[in-house]
Amino acid sequence: MASSPTRELDAVVLGAGFAGLHTNYALRDQMGLDVQVYEAGDGVGGTWYWNRYPGARCDSESYMYCFSFNKELMQQWEWSGKYPEQPEILRYLNHVADRFDLRRNIQFNTRVTAAHWNDETARWEIETDQGDRVSAKYLITGIGCLSSANVPNITGRDTFAGQSYHTGAWPHEGVDFSGKRVGVIGTGSSGVQSIPVIAQTAGHLTVFQRTPQYTIPARHGNVDKAFLDEVKKNYDEIYEKARQSTGGLPYDAAERSALEVTDEERTAVYEDAWNQGGFKFLFGSFSDISLDRRANDTASEFIRAKIREIVKDPDVAEKLVPVDHPFSSKRPLIDTNYFDTYNRDNVTLVDIRHNPIAEINPTGIKLEDGAQHDLDIIVFATGFDAMTGTFNKIDIQGKGGEKLRDKWAAGPLTYLGVSVAGYPNLFMITGPGSPSVLSNMPVSIEQHVEWITGAIKHMEANGLDVMEADAQAEVEWVDHVNELASQTMFMLADSWYLGANIPGKPRVFMPYPGGVGAYREKCDEVTAAGYEGFHLSTSQEPATATAD
Ligand code: NA7
């Protein structure tokens, strides 16, 4: 690094979304540490600051998409919808920032560009794109799992004469689609949420679909006040149930196999789950949908039949029916009127799996067969370089100057998804190898913030300077994650969980698929065993010394 740090801090936190805000509160206000938060946006919110596309909302029910660290906050905040919409989540996070005075040590409009571990001082030296140079004992990343936009490098992309937007970098002033010829590329969550809304005002909407999707109706609506009152009376219990669950949601887990019931019973269960909507279809119908291919086939087939029932044009319906991957092998989607939208006169579905995009040109999109679609606006709903993309953009160097992006060249290596061997005192909130994107994020974020805060308290109380994951513990954890993933449907699709959406990215399953309850238990065991799998030392001791 060019010059010496100008400020010495206890902790630097990257990001001011759910993770960064909670970490700031925990380390600064609960522990009294000197903390600096850096945030790329000009406001708090993280994912919900950037993703302002039409129809953006969370697929977790609102009463569970919030912090639980403050009981008054839980009781006082009123959600208006069954699912929280982006503007409301952003209002919530702004409220949290105001309520706990969290902005005063957040520097906005600032990206951390480099973080180097200094072996001699046992501190991180951190540089930003605004010229800041600071050092900190602890480096905590709350940079999000889906924060590096993937805008595919399609030939001629930059020659388009109209407007183009990525859903994850949406203009704050919104986009007026009225009367316009709009093309949406991508049918993941962002596409499936935005397509029905854009179709309502666009002159004509053309959807460019590479992979058909299974999506379940959200059954979105106003929040049921009586239900919410009941939730608030039992919040502790409900939250605890979510903490011990698979997906971080307090739903009763299904106990029966889809294969142990009659066809009539099975259909009735699926109908009921379809009518209830949302993630309950996956978690609450049968126990083995994600684990057993034959059980999964029954769910996949049920959804395929629903698509054929909803979409009136049989040719369009067939294009929308997913046959190349099982339900829940990609991120399960929740929608409002998605399949219905293809019954509109102003919506065209284009299958780019069999007739790919050849180029983007000044007037629109041309396919390989020569068909030209003239457009005024292109929306890239093409997702993210998930889980590792944002880490790789930062020059993170650990012991001996090793670059994290080199260490992770063949896929991310972590211990518990929270730390990396060779990168002492670096803690990742919802890093690769933790439940993260397979769970209701606030529950996983809070668990990480609490665990990391506990580890830092332990270090401070015992005069320790360095905490580093053991290399062998890391290997075993990565093997464990892979072993669990191999038992699921996840390996049967080209998904961003596997990095398959980014050309050249190694095909490695990144999140921990064993469920948030099992993961929490493992983390608690590690703590109870004196931070098993970590080396803790003072900077005077040899780096390999183990303490507890
Ligand atoms: P996703 O889920 O990664 O979806 C991206 C979509 O864009 C998906 O349909 C992709 O097709 C498609 N895509 C990606 N690259 C291309 C190219 N080069 N050409 C054509 N189509 C492409 O991102 P989202 O933003 O929708 O959702 C991200 C997460 O946010 C979501 O899962 C939730 O956790 C919230 P593919 O399926 O790869 O064939």
Side-chain angles (χ1 to χ4, degrees):
M1 282 196 175
S3 54
S4 303
T6 52
R7 275 176 72 204
E8 304 234 321
L9 296 148
D10 293 322
V12 160
V13 177
L14 274 54
F18 268 96
L21 290 175
H22 188 187
T23 307
N24 192 19
Y25 175 73
L27 299 187
R28 189 194 72 178
D29 295 353
Q30 294 182 314
M31 276 195 72
L33 299 187
D34 187 9
V35 178
Q36 175 66 54
V37 183
Y38 292 111
E39 164 57 51
D42 69 3
V44 301
T47 291
W48 304 104
Y49 171 91
W50 297 102
N51 286 268
R52 300 177 189 228
Y53 59 84
R57 66 168 174 256
C58 181
D59 292 338
S60 297
E61 288 187 58
S62 48
Y63 70 95
M64 284 309 297
Y65 201 72
C66 52
F67 291 116
S68 71
F69 68 76
N70 184 284
K71 290 200 191 329
E72 279 182 359
L73 171 66
M74 288 175 95
Q75 290 300 326
Q76 288 168 5
W77 184 263
E78 298 282 344
W79 293 103
S80 65
K82 178 179 175 191
Y83 299 92
E85 302 193 349
Q86 177 272 333
E88 195 164 3
I89 304 172
L90 195 56
R91 267 203 304 284
Y92 172 76
L93 290 171
N94 274 287
H95 169 79
V96 170
D98 291 336
R99 185 174 183 127
F100 299 103
D101 188 21
L102 295 176
R103 283 175 222 278
R104 75 183 135 88
N105 60 329
I106 302 175
Q107 185 172 317
F108 293 102
N109 297 306
T110 305
R111 277 183 194 276
V112 167
T113 50
H116 296 177
W117 174 256
N118 183 321
D119 286 313
E120 279 169 26
T121 59
R123 293 175 70 80
W124 284 96
E125 293 179 3
I126 293 139
E127 210 166 77
T128 76
D129 63 355
Q130 299 302 309
D132 304 282
R133 292 275 290 110
V134 300
S135 91
K137 180 171 176 181
Y138 304 106
L139 176 63
I140 295 116
T141 63
I143 54 181
C145 298
L146 297 157
S147 45
S148 272
N150 167 40
V151 185
N153 192 15
I154 299 168
T155 307
R157 188 188 67 193
D158 300 332
T159 66
F160 182 58
Q163 302 151 261
S164 63
Y165 306 98
H166 187 277
T167 49
W170 202 256
H172 291 196
E173 63 281 9
V175 176
D176 182 7
F177 293 103
S178 7
K180 299 274 174 46
R181 296 164 303 174
V182 183
V184 174
I185 306 176
T187 52
S189 280
S190 307
V192 160
Q193 287 187 339
S194 59
I195 284 163
V197 183
I198 295 173
Q200 286 168 20
T201 54
H204 195 89
L205 170 63
T206 307
V207 177
F208 297 87
Q209 171 195 269
R210 185 163 73 179
T211 308
Q213 293 275 12
Y214 301 91
T215 148
I216 308 295
R219 310 293 176 204
H220 186 39
N222 291 338
V223 82
D224 178 345
K225 181 84 176 74
F227 170 75
L228 207 56
D229 288 347
E230 202 50 34
V231 164
K232 287 190 175 180
K233 276 191 219 145
N234 302 293
Y235 236 150
D236 287 350
E237 206 179 299
I238 290 170
Y239 230 89
E240 192 50 31
K241 188 169 175 184
R243 289 188 188 103
Q244 304 305 333
S245 70
T246 300
L249 292 164
Y251 300 151
D252 290 327
E255 284 170 4
R256 284 188 305 176
S257 159
L259 303 174
E260 72 179 53
V261 296
T262 64
D263 290 353
E264 291 71 29
E265 277 178 283
R266 192 184 310 111
T267 305
V269 168
Y270 284 141
E271 275 298 342
D272 181 50
W274 181 268
N275 291 331
Q276 287 192 51
F279 285 140
K280 282 183 187 159
F281 188 92
L282 177 61
F283 295 121
S285 56
F286 294 105
S287 59
D288 47 359
I289 291 178
S290 302
L291 300 170
D292 182 296
R293 186 62 196 258
R294 285 189 312 134
N296 183 284
D297 281 345
T298 65
S300 299
E301 206 41 60
F302 177 87
I303 302 169
R304 291 183 193 122
K306 284 288 179 197
I307 299 171
R308 293 186 177 108
E309 195 180 300
I310 298 167
V311 180
K312 298 205 170 78
D313 180 329
D315 293 336
V316 177
E318 281 320 302
K319 282 189 204 161
L320 288 165
V321 167
V323 286
D324 64 343
H325 65 281
F327 170 59
S328 87
S329 55
K330 287 165 93 86
R331 160 65 153 78
L333 307 184
I334 311 295
D335 74 277
T336 298
N337 298 329
Y338 176 66
F339 293 119
D340 266 327
T341 299
Y342 293 95
N343 294 327
R344 294 176 68 107
D345 292 338
N346 70 334
V347 176
T348 305
L349 177 67
V350 172
D351 168 9
I352 55 167
R353 165 78 64 210
H354 299 101
N355 185 16
I357 296 176
E359 64 172 34
I360 296 179
N361 49 41
T363 53
I365 292 179
K366 190 177 200 170
L367 306 183
E368 276 193 357
D369 72 354
Q372 169 77 20
H373 294 270
D374 285 341
L375 301 166
D376 303 307
I377 300 175
I378 298 177
V379 174
F380 289 94
T382 42
F384 301 87
D385 183 352
M387 308 208 70
T388 54
T390 307
F391 281 103
N392 288 338
K393 283 185 180 159
I394 306 168
D395 173 23
I396 299 175
Q397 296 185 20
K399 279 163 60 178
E402 182 191 48
K403 287 179 189 289
L404 186 65
R405 63 171 82 104
D406 290 343
K407 172 163 176 149
W408 284 6
L413 303 171
T414 73
Y415 179 44
L416 301 174
V418 78
S419 81
V420 183
Y423 298 75
N425 298 3
L426 164 67
F427 297 103
M428 301 174 295
I429 297 171
T430 65
S434 73
S436 58
V437 292
L438 298 180
S439 67
N440 176 34
M441 287 298 268
V443 170
S444 287
I445 286 168
E446 284 202 328
Q447 186 256 337
H448 264 181
V449 174
E450 284 162 14
W451 191 88
I452 292 165
T453 306
I456 291 177
K457 274 187 187 154
H458 175 81
M459 288 179 71
E460 296 300 304
N462 292 283
L464 296 164
D465 300 311
V466 179
M467 178 168 181
E468 183 190 350
D470 174 70
Q472 184 55 29
E474 182 175 88
V475 168
E476 286 168 16
W477 182 252
V478 172
D479 286 351
H480 174 59
V481 171
N482 287 331
E483 168 61 23
L484 289 175
S486 72
Q487 298 163 16
T488 67
M489 295 295 124
F490 291 129
M491 306 311 277
L492 303 178
D494 288 334
S495 70
W496 55 259
Y497 295 145
L498 282 155
N501 61 330
I502 303 295
K505 192 166 173 174
R507 192 180 172 92
V508 174
F509 190 77
M510 292 183 285
Y512 169 81
V516 302
Y519 176 80
R520 173 181 293 269
E521 201 176 312
K522 170 69 185 172
C523 290
D524 290 348
E525 281 168 15
V526 164
T527 310
Y531 292 97
E532 188 178 32
F534 286 94
H535 299 288
L536 293 111
S537 60
T538 65
S539 52
Q540 279 74 44
E541 292 175 74
T544 50
T546 305
D548 56 19

